[in-house]
Structure formats: structure tokens, C-alpha cells
Amino acid sequence: MRTPIFAANWKMHLGPTAARDFLRSFLAAVPEQDDRELWFFPSAVALEAVARDTEARADVSVGAQNVHWEPKGAYTGETSVAMAREAGAVGALVGHSERRHVFGETDEETSRKVRTLLNAGLTPMLCVGETIDQREADETLAVVRRQLSALGGLEVDALTRVLVAYEPVWAIGTGRTATPTDAAEVHRDIRAWIAGRGVPAGSVRVLYGGSVKPANIADLMAEPEIDGVLVGGASLAPDAWSGMVQVALD
Ligand code: PGA
């Protein structure tokens, strides 16, 4: 049984003060439960505040939106894994489509980030997904497999600690969502890729992301291949997000 994950990617929204206001109402509305995990990916400057304010909640984990693979140095604007961990992060997003398409992050860079996080004991959430042109050219599975190569060569126990989020680029922030059936096809392929590397197919959690909202979260979560959701826009308002994480899980 894979514990479902509800992950909020706040992108470049909610600084420390707004994040703390959000958590005050959200945590009051959402009681602690051990049958799901709640993840928050705040901006780097809000990481510590979010980690501190959720410390007492065993069901909440906090992650960075991005990390650098070098331990320190002249990398203006970057955050090392050790710094993120010191601020309270237990994981990080890697290869989010905005990192890939806006900031030019390559598969080789995602691969280095995954390894650095795992070596430091943090959980990478590797994001994969195709553009609309790639989908229309029937390249979805090839693109996703190429992006999964960031996990190539990992030992089985390291691979077991990775989370994967399938986020079709054409569905992110656009209001267009993959149907549960479309997502399931890709999730099955991701699982098969992982199983091909010696990890039991059922043990790695694969999340869906891309315009998940109150109107579609229950249908997506009802699909057995979908182990959780990674949500941007709809996770920014405490009312909407607290309602969404409390959708029926059975
Ligand atoms: P969205 O973003 O929910 O706003 O589409 C999802 C994501 O980018 O992780």
C-alpha cells in the first residue's frame, strides 16, 4: 500500500510572512492523519519558516524547489543541499518543467541533483513530462524515459527512496489536465522503467501534476496508478488546498 502524497509547489509565491499566514489557517483546518503525506515546496527564503511552523506535524514534509549539486562555492543565486537541509528541507523538486524550459536545466544536471540529494539523505522528487509538440508527435513515453535516465545507475535502495512526478508540460498552469486514463498510461510506463532496474514496481510513488484543482482531484486520486498530486496554482489558497487534501482517499 503506497501512502498518498499531496504536494504543494508554491513556485515564486508566498514569502515567509504569507507562508506563515497560510499555514495558520491550513493546519487548523487539516487534522494530522497518518494515511497521507503532505509536502510543501516553498521558496528558498520561506523554507525555514515553513519547516519551523510544521515541525509538530508528523504528516508534513518540507522540500526545496531547487538545489545545486555542488556543496558550496561561487554559484550566485543557488542553494546547496546542506543549506536546504539546515533550513529544514527533507527533500527537493528536481527537473521541474519550469527549471527545464525557463532555466535550461539539462538531464545531466537533474541527474547530479538527484545523486547529491540522495547522498545527503534527502528525497528527490523528479519531475518528468512532455510538451504538447512531443505529445502530438507521439513521443511522450520516449521523452519521459529519457528524463528518467537521471535515475540511471542508482542502487536499488537509493531508487526506492525517489519520488517521481509526471507533469505534462501542456497541463501546467494552463487549466488543461491529462485525463486519469492518459496519466495512468504514462505512470504505468514509469513504473515499468523503474521495475526494470530491480525495484519492485509497487514500491515507488508516482504523482501527477498539471492543473490539478478542486474539480478534478477526486477523479485523479481515484485512479490506482496515481499515488498523489503535485499542485501549483490551486495550492496557494489555504481554503482550496485544505479541501483538496481532504478528498476521499478510498
Ligand atoms: P499547476 O502547477 O498546478 O499550477 O498546473 C503544477 C506544477 O507546476 O507543479
Side-chain angles (χ1 to χ4, degrees):
M1 192 44 201
R2 299 184 292 266
T3 306
I5 295 181
F6 296 85
N9 173 12
W10 283 348
K11 310 192 179 188
M12 203 166 72
H13 300 281
L14 306 186
T17 307
R20 302 191 75 177
D21 288 347
F22 176 107
L23 289 171
R24 233 184 317 277
S25 18
F26 176 83
L27 295 174
V30 179
E32 185 168 330
Q33 270 180 229
D34 59 10
D35 60 352
R36 62 160 183 244
E37 285 176 31
L38 305 173
W39 281 74
F40 287 98
F41 295 96
S43 68
V45 293
L47 203 52
E48 192 168 8
V50 172
R52 209 178 306 120
D53 283 10
T54 56
E55 218 164 40
R57 290 283 299 250
D59 56 341
V60 176
S61 300
V62 181
Q65 292 178 12
N66 181 39
V67 286
H68 197 271
W69 57 86
E70 291 292 347
K72 61 180 175 211
Y75 300 102
T76 301
E78 296 290 327
T79 304
S80 74
V81 171
M83 287 169 183
R85 185 175 55 190
E86 184 183 342
V90 296
L93 296 177
V94 179
H96 185 277
S97 78
E98 286 144 23
R99 298 298 321 165
R100 293 178 191 271
H101 296 286
V102 183
F103 299 102
E105 189 166 307
T106 63
D107 290 324
E108 200 210 316
E109 289 168 346
T110 61
S111 170
R112 288 184 179 197
K113 292 178 183 190
V114 164
R115 278 159 180 74
T116 310
L117 284 160
L118 287 167
N119 288 341
L122 275 73
T123 302
M125 186 181 286
L126 178 68
C127 304
V128 297
E130 81 287 5
T131 63
I132 192 63
D133 289 349
Q134 291 165 334
R135 171 157 283 255
E136 283 167 0
D138 215 8
E139 290 169 5
T140 299
L141 298 183
V143 167
V144 167
R145 282 181 206 151
R146 196 197 69 226
Q147 293 169 337
L148 286 172
S149 68
L151 307 177
L154 291 180
E155 300 289 331
V156 169
D157 60 332
L159 203 46
T160 316
R161 288 165 41 216
V162 169
L163 300 169
V164 179
Y166 169 55
E167 298 202 301
V169 179
W170 48 269
I172 295 178
T174 58
R176 288 181 66 188
T177 324
T179 63
T181 317
D182 285 343
E185 186 198 349
V186 182
H187 282 218
R188 260 192 296 277
D189 201 65
I190 292 171
R191 253 184 251 293
W193 188 95
I194 290 168
R197 269 122 200 110
V199 176
S203 60
V204 170
R205 286 177 288 179
V206 183
L207 283 65
Y208 170 79
S211 295
V212 180
K213 47 190 178 244
N216 60 22
I217 188 167
D219 285 348
L220 289 161
M221 288 303 295
E223 163 55 53
E225 284 291 334
I226 298 180
D227 301 320
V229 285
L230 177 57
V231 182
S235 74
L236 292 171
D239 291 355
W241 188 231
S242 59
M244 287 170 72
V245 307
Q246 294 184 91
V247 295
L249 292 176
D250 45 15

